[in-house]
Amino acid sequence: MKTPQKLKNQSAIVTGADSGIGKAVAIALAEAGAKVLINYAHNQDAADEVVNTIKDAGGKAFAYQCDVSKENEVKAMFAAAIKKYGTVDILVNNAGLQKDAKFVDMTLEQWNTVININLTGQFLCSREAAKEFIKRGVVEKRSVAAGKIICMSSVHEIIPWAGHVNYAASKGGISMFMKSIAQELAPHRIRVAGIAPGAIQTPINKPAWETPEAMDKLLELIPYNRIGQPADVGKLAAWLASDDSDYITGTTIFVDGGMSLYPGFADNG
Ligand code: BGC
């Protein structure tokens, strides 16, 4: 069955859309009818592949390289999307990475890289999106909102994570960043929401699922007893970007098979 075209005539920017969750989000938005800028940092071939997948299915997309932590590059990316599609209706702040280290061994570079990409990148992209949304306002035939911003967070916005302090701090920061801009932008009819994925089977956490032993250990943390798939997150993003979720702003939805339910307490405590 064909996906209903709930994002018809809307255009979207998805950061870090060349792999993993970002790729699934871009494909889901395109299936719902959006034209999508596929942002990537390094891997042009992978980004082109996502574009081709979308085009083969009858959708519209183009690849655009930009480091989301660089102000000028982000501004240029928004200008490129606006030039190509006229405006931007949806931003999915997805680009993110891990630079894991024990806390006492963590270098300033590892700290800064993660905060710059994961948190500052969301600031820079959201600011450009909000300016465009406010300037344009609501265009009723596309959406009842003036724009939608989706911030990719993680269960680690609430679950502390030893050995990943930079990453957990960036995700905790995204939670408060998302809520604060949601409060500030709501009067402009701009909606902002967070998505907190748990363990989704992507390259970022390969060591956690690539062997049967690792997978068994991981499943102890997931009451629903399966690893998440990128499409689980893609479907949620498409819904959050659509008018079906029009009364939702300033909240984070967890898509984690129950990982955030303190599974260790199921038979303890
Ligand atoms: C991390 C993954 C991890 C998952 C659950 C995600 O935010 O990027 O590496 O598997 O959280 O712990």
Side-chain angles (χ1 to χ4, degrees), residues 23-236:
K23 175 178 176 176
V25 167
I27 290 171
L29 297 187
E31 276 174 357
K35 300 166 271 191
V36 190
L37 181 153
I38 305 296
N39 162 259
Y40 66 99
H42 307 294
N43 194 342
Q44 178 167 6
D45 288 347
D48 287 343
E49 218 180 285
V50 179
V51 169
N52 290 336
T53 303
I54 290 173
K55 286 188 172 164
D56 288 349
K60 290 201 172 79
F62 75 106
Y64 189 92
Q65 193 278 333
C66 144
D67 174 342
V68 294
S69 70
K70 303 267 162 54
E71 187 171 28
N72 289 343
E73 294 187 22
V74 168
K75 286 187 173 187
M77 175 169 72
F78 273 79
I82 291 165
K83 186 159 177 244
K84 181 105 176 157
Y85 295 137
T87 187
V88 177
D89 302 281
I90 299 156
L91 166 67
V92 183
N93 283 313
N94 169 77
L97 45 69
Q98 290 180 212
K99 295 275 178 203
D100 308 330
K102 281 205 162 63
F103 178 54
V104 290
D105 298 329
M106 189 172 281
T107 63
L108 179 59
E109 204 207 335
Q110 286 170 321
W111 172 267
N112 281 340
T113 303
V114 171
I115 298 295
N116 287 345
I117 304 280
N118 295 16
L119 185 56
T120 309
Q122 296 212 7
F123 158 68
L124 291 172
C125 292
S126 302
R127 191 184 55 178
E128 292 316 300
K131 283 195 276 191
E132 172 66 11
F133 298 164
I134 291 168
K135 193 167 87 188
R136 189 198 64 242
V138 175
V139 180
E140 290 260 350
K141 61 182 185 342
R142 286 208 302 271
S143 172
V144 295
K148 282 85 55 159
I149 297 174
I150 296 170
C151 299
M152 202 57 69
S153 181
S154 160
V155 288
H156 298 295
E157 75 168 48
I158 56 165
I159 301 178
W161 207 14
H164 310 260
V165 167
N166 46 1
Y167 184 83
S170 75
K171 296 300 182 179
I174 287 168
S175 165
M176 208 33 103
F177 166 75
M178 181 279 294
K179 289 182 200 184
S180 299
I181 64 169
Q183 191 189 60
E184 187 163 338
L185 297 174
H188 297 283
R189 289 230 151 215
I190 295 169
R191 293 194 297 114
V192 189
I195 294 180
I200 309 296
Q201 195 163 21
T202 68
I204 206 174
N205 57 2
K206 200 162 175 220
W209 52 261
E210 67 181 338
T211 65
E213 298 72 37
M215 183 67 104
D216 282 350
K217 197 162 168 248
L218 180 66
L219 290 178
E220 285 172 19
L221 296 175
I222 309 173
Y224 203 61
N225 212 34
R226 76 163 170 88
I227 192 166
Q229 293 304 321
D232 290 317
V233 185
K235 283 180 267 194
L236 174 58

